[in-house]
Amino acid sequence: MRAVVIDQYGVLPEVREVPEPEAAAGSVVLKVEATGLCRSDWHGWMGHDSDIVLPHVPGHELAGTIAAVGAGVSG
């Protein structure tokens, strides 16, 4: 699948192919239809967020449909 990937803080990210995710136990995989980048993504890109580990795919404000369900997920 294609994704924006940050490899270095403060350096322009690139769009490239990344491995398809798999649904772990207790989780789902979403097929993202739309996403946006916000100020917290910018701070992550600039290296201000110590929780960001590189390489990093930004974008946590998204909309989509469930594509896969992991073990133990119901409802």
Side-chain angles (χ1 to χ4, degrees), residues 2-42:
R2 288 176 13 130
V4 172
V5 181
I6 298 170
D7 286 312
Q8 297 179 51
Y9 299 118
V11 176
L12 284 178
E14 66 176 22
V15 176
R16 67 173 184 244
E17 293 294 318
V18 297
E20 293 280 339
E22 295 184 15
S27 68
V28 299
V29 172
L30 296 178
K31 178 182 179 200
V32 176
E33 302 293 341
T35 188
L37 298 178
C38 69
R39 186 171 52 142
S40 61
D41 293 307
W42 180 85

Side-chain angles (χ1 to χ4, degrees), residues 63-74:
T65 56
I66 295 173
V69 178
V73 176
S74 63

Side-chain angles (χ1 to χ4, degrees), residues 33-54:
E33 302 293 341
T35 188
L37 298 178
C38 69
R39 186 171 52 142
S40 61
D41 293 307
W42 180 85
H43 282 290
W45 172 55
M46 294 305 293
H48 301 161
D49 185 342
S50 61
D51 292 332
I52 301 293
V53 177
L54 299 179

Side-chain angles (χ1 to χ4, degrees), residues 53-66:
V53 177
L54 299 179
H56 175 68
V57 176
H60 57 271
E61 298 175 357
L62 53 94
T65 56
I66 295 173

